[in-house]
Amino acid sequence: MGLLSVLEGPNSDFIPSKSPDINLNVEINIPSLLSNMLQDGLLKELPRGYLCPEYTRPTVTYDEYDESVLTDIPVIDLGLLNCGKPNAGNILLGNLQRACEEWGFFYLINHGVPKSHVQAMQKQARQFFSLPHHQKRRAHIPGQRLGYHSMQPTTTPSPSLHWSEGFTMKGLAGHVHCSEFATRIWPQGQEKFGFCDVVEEYTKSMVGLEMKLRDLIIESLGVDSKHFKQYCNPSFSSLHLNYYPTCPQPTNVVGMGAHYDMGFFTLLAHDDVGGLQVQHGGKWVNVKPRSDAFTVNIGDMLQALTNGRYKSIKHRAVVNESRERYSIAYFLSVNPRLDLNPAPELVDEQHPRLYKPFTFLDIYTSVRNKHLDELSRGAQVLEFLRASS
Ligand SMILES: O=C(O)CCC(=O)C(=O)O
Ligand SMILES: [Fe+2]
């Protein structure tokens, strides 16, 4: 089979290469195709653009679990809300407060989202990413953090390409715009209805859960909720599907480089293949997927609104040689045009204001571009917004 015919379509996104890694003068930055070509022997080596510099190379492989640390990862049980036991609600709020202060990350169990909704969404993600490349590309919108990307655009610049593909849908109050994408991907097919129905059902579940969790997080801070709600009312949310194909050199690449999520918090549904790593106490920790749980990570905007009390956590995704992986991230973000100010109750003499006022939009229009190098080396964007600098 000729190399170009592997691209299976007229519209493929190969990029002319200055120093070709393969015989033809093209470099194909599509991890799923590269993975197949490496397996079939059509390609001998990973294209150089994917190889990590030493300092970002994964040091822990995807399934090395440190049980002693795993048992420390906080577990937040929403079942405590309705269990009828006295004081259960306060126990839940205390647990949540500690999880957000000490980790910025937790497993969320008894969350009320039916397993069937998660499984249906995972099935749709698998179906979408297994389409021929030219068909997935119909959902590609150049230059935007929206739609399908074979080169994932992440908020944090990365020194190497990510070994993953992504598909982002955005919308307000959980109404993510799905049907335009679906009609482009399947102009004649019935598949579009199935896809949109599942996305709608899943996001509806996520909105319910997101609101419940948002209110609990605010309650756990013991502050007036009005201050927080102005930033996420209506909720600015997005649904992001991740696909990590198998890779023959998993310790030389990253599925998704180290980053902090920018928003309020992220609800992540995993399949049973590990790959998420979070940084805690200076070490990378592999997070074992739990089929009964979402993982939740606090984002930078919540860190700023709480004046640094709740921590955004650095995380990344690693890949492996034998099992492809899918994850579904639901991001709750903030109104991009509002100045972010901490809750007044969280600023006092002992806790002076940590960050200057800034908007979410400022990050994209100026802050990020001024600090690309530091960010690609793992810095958090909030470091450049310190009130004292
Ligand atoms: O797939 C994962 O485990 C991580 C995904 C992630 O961090 C993201 O989509 O922001
Ligand atoms: Fe993330």
Side-chain angles (χ1 to χ4, degrees), residues 145-157:
R145 292 165 189 280
L146 201 59
Y148 166 73
H149 283 276
S150 57
M151 287 191 286
Q152 295 235 53
T154 48
T155 42
T156 309

Side-chain angles (χ1 to χ4, degrees), residues 13 26 42 52 80 141 197 202 216 224 237 270 362 368:
D13 62 355
V26 292
L42 288 168
C52 299
L80 287 174
I141 306 183
D197 286 351
Y202 188 74
L216 286 167
D224 187 351
S237 39
H270 306 245
D362 291 338
R368 186 180 175 276

Side-chain angles (χ1 to χ4, degrees), residues 240 242 244 256 259 261 268 270 275-276 315-317 325 327 329 331:
H240 182 81
N242 290 309
Y244 304 92
M256 192 180 287
H259 66 283
D261 286 352
L268 191 75
H270 306 245
L276 175 66
H315 57 287
R316 68 181 179 191
R325 171 171 182 259
S327 71
F331 300 101

Side-chain angles (χ1 to χ4, degrees), residues 15-198:
I15 291 179
S17 169
K18 289 190 202 92
S19 54
D21 291 288
I22 40 183
N23 290 339
L24 290 174
N25 194 26
V26 292
E27 193 174 287
I28 300 168
N29 293 314
I30 308 163
S32 52
L33 286 185
L34 292 170
S35 176
N36 290 339
M37 289 164 70
L38 286 158
Q39 261 175 40
D40 297 346
L42 288 168
L43 189 64
K44 297 279 174 275
E45 284 177 2
L46 289 181
R48 273 193 287 278
Y50 288 93
L51 300 178
C52 299
E54 186 82 35
Y55 65 91
T56 61
R57 238 173 250 167
T59 42
V60 200
T61 56
Y62 82 112
D63 56 354
E64 275 176 67
Y65 296 113
D66 180 340
E67 291 298 331
S68 65
V69 184
L70 263 187
T71 50
D72 282 352
I73 297 181
V75 179
I76 299 299
D77 180 358
L78 288 190
L80 287 174
L81 280 179
N82 308 311
C83 70
K85 290 199 189 117
N87 215 25
N90 285 336
I91 293 173
L92 169 64
L93 292 175
N95 292 344
L96 192 54
Q97 188 195 61
R98 269 192 304 283
C100 296
E101 283 179 352
E102 291 167 16
W103 276 78
F105 182 78
F106 50 89
Y107 289 110
L108 186 69
I109 61 166
N110 292 317
H111 43 67
V113 175
K115 207 174 240 176
S116 60
H117 291 193
V118 181
Q119 284 167 340
M121 196 62 250
Q122 278 164 343
K123 189 170 165 208
Q124 290 295 335
R126 278 197 299 276
Q127 271 171 12
F128 170 75
F129 286 114
S130 65
L131 291 172
H133 183 69
H134 73 273
Q135 200 170 349
K136 286 187 271 190
R137 233 189 100 80
R138 292 182 195 147
H140 176 69
I141 306 183
Q144 289 207 35
R145 292 165 189 280
L146 201 59
Y148 166 73
H149 283 276
S150 57
M151 287 191 286
Q152 295 235 53
T154 48
T155 42
T156 309
S158 170
S160 60
L161 294 171
H162 294 159
W163 194 262
S164 59
E165 298 177 19
F167 185 13
T168 307
M169 288 163 274
K170 286 191 185 160
L172 280 180
H175 297 293
V176 299
H177 301 296
C178 169
S179 65
E180 277 173 40
F181 284 124
T183 308
R184 286 205 220 175
I185 303 165
W186 297 282
Q188 276 101 36
Q190 291 303 305
E191 294 94 328
K192 66 180 171 209
F193 301 113
F195 185 77
C196 288
D197 286 351
V198 169

